[in-house]
Amino acid sequence: MIKFYFHTNNPAKRRAEKWLTKHGLDFQSRNLNKDPLTRDEVLQLLELSPDGTETLVSERSKATKELYTKHPAPTMNQLIDAIQETPQILKSPLIVSGHKMLTGFNADKMGVLVPHQQRRLELSQLLGKLNGRGSSQAMQLAYN
């Protein structure tokens, strides 16, 4: 199951939700303003982040700037506490599927969330349309 975390209803959030729905992917949405992350959940996100806090923390947000004003070099505990209290520190949306995490919306990167067989089928259908083949031929190509 894909977990979809957000704290604002911004265009990236809406596009990501639309993309997930269009591709028939099941996901659980969670508004972090109404249902904040637990300490363990923040730690899990940090574990999934390939470059530490850079992937997760929105450097441009007012909340992040306030955190850095209060704590120029916050400890991990201070950062986790701040994220729990003020989710706007995080980029939005955060999309987690297994050991994969995406921040924001990038259609090219979203493809990693689609199961391999479904990607092959979608590709075959597209190629079938381009080559003038019917959908049954495209489906046959997907499973060869």
Side-chain angles (χ1 to χ4, degrees):
M1 172 66 68
I2 296 171
K3 295 179 182 177
F4 186 85
Y5 303 112
F6 67 96
H7 54 73
T8 57
N9 190 20
N10 62 12
K13 180 254 183 194
R14 291 190 300 271
R15 287 193 306 261
E17 268 185 326
K18 185 176 179 179
W19 191 96
L20 291 167
T21 301
K22 177 183 173 186
H23 286 84
L25 300 174
D26 291 328
F27 63 98
Q28 295 175 333
S29 290
R30 181 167 163 192
N31 183 336
L32 299 179
N33 289 317
K34 295 179 182 177
D35 187 10
L37 294 168
T38 65
R39 181 173 195 75
D40 286 341
E41 288 171 325
V42 175
L43 288 170
Q44 287 172 351
L45 290 175
L46 287 166
E47 286 177 15
L48 291 175
S49 178
D51 55 4
T53 60
E54 287 184 34
T55 300
L56 291 174
V57 174
S58 174
E59 297 293 331
R60 297 184 304 176
S61 83
K62 182 179 176 182
T64 302
K65 290 175 184 173
E66 288 174 6
L67 170 66
Y68 290 149
T69 300
K70 188 175 179 181
H71 304 286
T75 65
M76 190 58 65
N77 286 330
Q78 289 170 329
L79 178 63
I80 292 169
D81 290 344
I83 288 171
Q84 289 182 283
E85 292 171 21
T86 314
Q88 289 75 14
I89 290 172
L90 297 172
K91 293 180 180 177
S92 183
L94 295 173
I95 305 164
V96 178
S97 177
H99 296 290
K100 302 170 193 159
M101 180 179 65
L102 301 172
T103 59
F105 175 73
N106 181 327
D108 294 334
K109 292 182 180 180
M110 295 285 285
V112 301
L113 302 171
V114 178
H116 180 71
Q117 280 299 106
Q118 186 175 339
R119 284 196 313 259
R120 283 189 72 179
L121 179 60
E122 288 177 6
L123 178 61
S124 294
Q125 289 173 340
L126 177 61
L127 291 172
K129 286 179 184 178
L130 292 173
N131 292 327
R133 296 181 180 174
S135 61
S136 62
Q137 288 175 314
M139 288 180 71
Q140 187 178 24
L141 286 171
Y143 293 103
N144 289 337

